[in-house]
């Protein structure tokens, strides 16, 4: 059962202020909401609660529909939509034991040790 979280005006104002310095963490391409994009958005919301999303779609009405659909699929609250940037909020689950899944947390880890230029110098 999917629903969209509703925020008061004061909550939206506070979240907009918190979101101002944040950079977009997920980019939605011209193909729209694929399952992998939804998974990445879900991981980002589990980690950060408040995220910015950049959209590569030029059509304004399509972006509005995409914003609403994204929030509905993720059970999140739409905070702000300016141009091609969405700000989405979903509070962390009340069970603080719930952490991002293994796929979310290990995505960017390197498999081998990274050697810098200085480490090769004797």
């Amino acid at each position: 059962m999917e629903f969209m979280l509703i925020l008061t005006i004061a909550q939206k104002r506070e979240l907009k202020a918190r979101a101002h310095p944040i950079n977009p963490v997920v980019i939605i391409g011209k193909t729209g909401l694929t399952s992998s994009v939804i998974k990445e958005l879900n991981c980002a919301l589990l980690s950060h609660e408040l995220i910015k999303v950049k959209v590569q779609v030029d059509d304004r009405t399509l972006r509005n529909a995409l914003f609403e659909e994204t929030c509905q699929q993720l059970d999140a609250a739409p905070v702000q939509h300016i141009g091609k940037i969405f700000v989405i909020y979903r509070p962390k689950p009340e069970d603080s034991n719930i952490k991002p899944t293994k796929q979310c947390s290990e995505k960017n880890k390197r498999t081998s040790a990274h050697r810098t230029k200085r480490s090769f110098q004797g």
Side-chain angles (χ1 to χ4, degrees):
M1 190 163 130
E2 295 179 1
F3 66 94
M4 200 162 44
L5 188 63
I6 306 296
L7 299 173
T8 64
I9 294 172
Q11 288 172 323
K12 279 190 178 185
R13 186 179 305 129
E14 191 265 332
L15 290 170
K16 286 177 187 178
R18 277 183 36 202
H20 184 70
I22 298 173
N23 291 324
V25 293
V26 178
I27 296 176
I28 299 175
K30 294 186 179 188
T31 57
L33 284 177
T34 60
S35 61
S36 60
V37 170
I38 291 292
K39 187 175 82 174
E40 287 300 317
L41 287 167
N42 192 35
C43 288
L45 284 169
L46 281 173
S47 298
H48 304 292
E49 283 188 341
L50 182 68
I51 61 169
K52 273 189 184 176
V53 180
K54 186 166 185 162
V55 183
Q56 300 292 331
V57 178
D58 292 328
D59 184 20
R60 191 176 292 173
T61 56
L62 189 59
R63 281 196 309 259
N64 288 335
L66 197 61
F67 187 41
E68 289 180 22
E69 184 182 347
T70 303
C71 291
Q72 285 177 352
Q73 286 191 21
L74 296 167
D75 297 332
V79 176
Q80 189 175 31
H81 171 206
I82 296 180
K84 295 184 177 184
I85 302 290
F86 300 160
V87 179
I88 299 173
Y89 172 74
R90 184 177 70 192
K92 288 188 179 179
E94 293 180 14
D95 298 332
S96 60
N97 299 336
I98 298 176
K99 294 185 179 179
T101 61
K102 189 174 181 182
Q103 292 175 343
C104 293
S105 60
E106 290 186 1
K107 186 181 88 168
N108 293 328
K109 290 186 179 177
R110 296 181 186 266
T111 55
S112 62
H114 178 70
R115 296 196 61 185
T116 61
K117 182 179 178 182
R118 189 165 300 270
S119 67
F120 286 104
Q121 298 171 348

